[in-house]
Amino acid sequence: MTHQKVLVLDFGGQYNQLIARRVRDAGVYCEVKSYKTPLDDIRAFDPVGIIFTGGPNSVYLDGAPTVDAGIFSLGVPVLGICYGAQLMANLLGGHVSSAGVKEYGKTPADMDTTSPLFDGLPQSSVVWMSHTDFIDRLPEGFHAICTTASCPTAAMGDEDRGLYAVQFHPEVLHTEYGKQILLNFLVKACGCKRDWSMESYAVSAVRELKEKIGDKKVLLALSGGVDSSVAARLLSKACGKNLYCVFVDHGFMRKNEGDEIEAAFRSDEMNFIRVDAADRFLAKLSGVAEPETKRKLIGEEFIRVFEEEAKKIGKVDFLAQGTIYPDVIESGLGDAAVIKSHHNVGGLPDVVEFTDIVEPLRLLFKDEVRALGRELGLPDYLVNRQPFPGPGLAIRIIGEITKDKLDILRDADAIFREEIAKNGLNTEIHQYFAVLTSMRSVGVMGDFRTYDYTLALRAVTTTDFMTADWAKIPYEVLERVSERIVNEVSGINRIVYDITTKPPATIEWE
């Protein structure tokens, strides 16, 4: 790629993905790499700016993460955030100590608005602090450009060398002018042209895929999720009829979803293969109630079905995967915590023989994938598809799965989603769905006693899906949803609403 590049060096902080997303949102391409990246590799990456992330360590302890101090001699502007700020001070001759007063959360700060970092901002605003150490002696050439009541060096700068450090977190929304601070660093310190967009990425990605794939065959497992759908459309533009998309319909999709996926992708432009495996998956899960066992059985059976279909196609040169950038980051960079290991990161799967692998979305965040999907002309119902677990409704049914339970849940879930959309709440609520519990209770309908299932409704608002709050759906909407489900769906006589945050709960029930 010919875009200007910013390098984010990861020191294990919890907001590191968010830093990279904010940079991308500003129209600047960036990548996250381990702090262990050799100086020669950093030089070869040719960044126009470097950002040190936060991290959980103290710079003055033995074994604390560090970098080659030669990084400050590359002539590239550097911004240190939290731990990154303290590391910059420590490496350049300043001093860091344990703070007498710790600062956490929203904190009023006074800024020197003559500094390029705070240009155009008010002199006083709120920042988000999270530290137990502080810079008690500035390195030579630096001066304090921000203070708080308890922190004399909430930010420091050396404008001549383009070196800046902030003790707070500009990447989080709780810092009032955080986005502007990052933009000031990118534009005023680094001279970024802001040349990163999904329009330009689509053009360059198609060109590069054509060069790599040529006239060879590509196989993609198409789930209908955002990532695999966008990957399919992008690959279709690059290799047309040489793309084989296998959609394994395990029977656990939402109402009409399998047909919608087929309608979007069955065309003359690619080979779309829909495998109706609902009976096969149901038989595999017969009598199984434990959620983790469900997940493993579904995953294993999916591989078996996919393997059978791949062999029917014959020799395939490339396996395509919808791996996205958070998958790569969350699978561990250097000493960064492994949040979760992703099945599509780390090597070729042992499904069938492939020459190589293609991952056209590997450098993109989820919001960028959605933007790329729009750029490629995918319908809104696919681009805006909510997160949906791979096992589908199988883990939204508590206990054993049967066809009757799936039909009940599909109809109830469809009503809930329909009413949310009808009342214009679908843009405010980030995920919403129904869960069929294993609990049955006594009810009365007409003059008759019933003993039917309890259905739980779950709706959350979130910015990152790492934490979530339950959505405050208006009572009249919940009332309408309850009335419709009880009257229109046989087998349900009680509706409950989940008002638990994440944590302590997860978003899904299983």
Side-chain angles (χ1 to χ4, degrees), residues 93-165:
H95 191 265
V96 176
S97 297
S98 178
V101 178
K102 322 300 183 188
E103 282 184 318
Y104 291 95
K106 294 181 179 180
T107 306
D110 294 318
M111 299 175 178
D112 178 358
T113 55
T114 64
S115 168
L117 203 61
F118 302 130
D119 183 44
L121 274 61
Q123 289 186 341
S124 297
S125 64
V126 172
V127 298
W128 182 261
M129 286 287 195
S130 178
H131 71 100
T132 59
D133 296 328
F134 80 114
I135 301 167
D136 59 358
R137 187 180 75 241
L138 274 65
E140 185 177 348
F142 283 82
H143 62 104
I145 55 177
C146 180
T147 62
T148 71
S150 302
C151 187
T153 311
M156 65 178 187
D158 179 345
E159 286 82 4
D160 291 340
R161 288 189 289 174
L163 304 180
Y164 299 91

Side-chain angles (χ1 to χ4, degrees), residues 321-388:
Q321 293 188 158
T323 310
I324 64 174
Y325 205 34
D327 298 344
V328 178
I329 296 174
E330 289 179 358
S331 293
L333 286 176
D335 290 348
V338 177
I339 299 171
K340 51 185 175 180
S341 294
H342 290 263
H343 68 279
N344 52 356
V345 177
L348 295 173
D350 297 324
V351 181
V352 288
E353 291 185 5
F354 298 99
T355 304
D356 203 352
I357 194 167
V358 287
E359 298 173 310
L361 311 179
R362 188 180 177 87
L363 296 176
L364 303 184
F365 287 101
K366 178 69 81 173
D367 52 343
E368 292 175 315
V369 173
R370 294 187 194 277
L372 178 60
R374 296 186 191 96
E375 186 68 35
L376 296 171
L378 278 177
D380 283 345
Y381 64 81
L382 284 178
V383 172
N384 297 324
R385 189 177 189 252
Q386 290 192 5
F388 189 60

